[in-house]
Amino acid sequence: LVWFGTQSGVFRFDEKMWFKELSDNVLYPGINRISAIESSIENQLWIGTANAGVRMKFIEAGREIEKDYTTSTSNLPTNAISALTHDYSGAIWAGTHIGVARYNRVIDDWETPVPVAELPSELVTALLAENDHLWFGTDKGVALYNLNNGLLELVPGLRNIHVKAMAVDSLRRLWVGTLNDGLFVRSEEWRVGK
């Protein structure tokens, strides 16, 4: 299956047909406005929405189950989700408009292991997992979080840029796409890509 998140809901393609999957949760009218999508190592589909929190879909006993996580049903810091990823242990992370949150499967709830004040900005716009680290892109720069010791390092060469996307290539270079400042690449020093 291939999943697509759009401003009009989630679509899936099973190599023959397209299917549109709409949530019927009327308490959150924006629940079908998708801002991020991520699959987990446990065959769950995590769906971030622009203003209705996170949805998680999975199959149990041959039946499709969907759970909604919002500020009123969980410890998610906000319902505005901008990015999703999973780390090397399989934990799901959400970039939100009020910092980052990590899903704790043991308690079936979200926690905020990184204080918002330590981030370059509370608006986390992109997430990227790389080995035992997470890159946090914000609207005011980039930070690197060590999953083993919880230390956060602000990246000095990328302050005050609005990050839109991040990727690591086969040479382990980090690429950072920005809203207005072009493309940056980290080899040893940061430089603007041409």
Side-chain angles (χ1 to χ4, degrees):
L1 291 178
V2 179
W3 295 87
F4 297 89
T6 73
Q7 295 295 310
S8 302
V10 175
F11 293 82
R12 70 180 159 87
F13 181 67
D14 70 359
E15 297 184 18
K16 294 179 188 154
M17 295 186 70
W18 285 95
F19 298 91
K20 185 173 185 178
E21 308 232 345
L22 293 176
S23 175
D24 57 1
N25 187 335
V26 294
L27 295 177
Y28 295 95
I31 199 159
N32 292 309
R33 196 168 143 219
I34 310 306
S35 55
I37 196 164
E38 178 76 15
S39 62
S40 76
I41 61 174
E42 298 172 333
N43 290 324
Q44 300 161 327
L45 183 69
W46 293 84
I47 303 163
T49 67
N51 59 0
V54 176
R55 295 163 46 195
M56 187 254 292
K57 297 167 86 73
F58 63 99
I59 304 293
E60 184 176 275
R63 209 173 54 126
E64 186 175 284
I65 308 291
E66 183 169 319
K67 288 177 134 184
D68 296 332
Y69 298 93
T70 65
T71 54
S72 60
T73 63
S74 73
N75 288 323
L76 203 58
T78 177
N79 287 332
I81 309 300
S82 44
L84 292 170
T85 195
H86 66 273
D87 66 26
Y88 71 100
S89 74
I92 296 292
W93 290 75
T96 79
H97 289 210
I98 307 177
V100 294
R102 177 180 60 208
Y103 176 72
N104 183 326
R105 69 183 83 126
V106 173
I107 61 171
D108 188 28
D109 206 351
W110 294 86
E111 53 195 14
T112 51
V114 181
V116 173
E118 293 181 14
L119 294 167
S121 167
E122 68 179 13
L123 176 54
V124 177
T125 55
L127 296 173
L128 178 67
E130 182 186 22
N131 300 323
D132 58 353
H133 289 81
L134 282 177
W135 293 94
F136 301 143
T138 74
D139 66 334
K140 293 197 166 104
V142 176
L144 179 63
Y145 180 70
N146 186 315
L147 292 162
N148 295 323
N149 61 22
L151 294 178
L152 186 74
E153 174 189 344
L154 301 181
V155 178
L158 295 178
R159 293 214 171 127
N160 297 315
I161 62 164
H162 188 136
V163 176
K164 294 298 284 180
M166 297 183 293
V168 174
D169 67 19
S170 62
L171 300 175
R172 296 187 40 104
R173 295 177 300 188
L174 176 70
W175 293 82
V176 178
T178 69
L179 182 64
N180 296 311
D181 297 303
L183 182 65
F184 291 82
V185 62
R186 177 196 69 170
S187 45
E188 290 186 24
E189 294 294 324
W190 289 100
R191 64 178 198 262
V192 178
K194 302 287 181 192

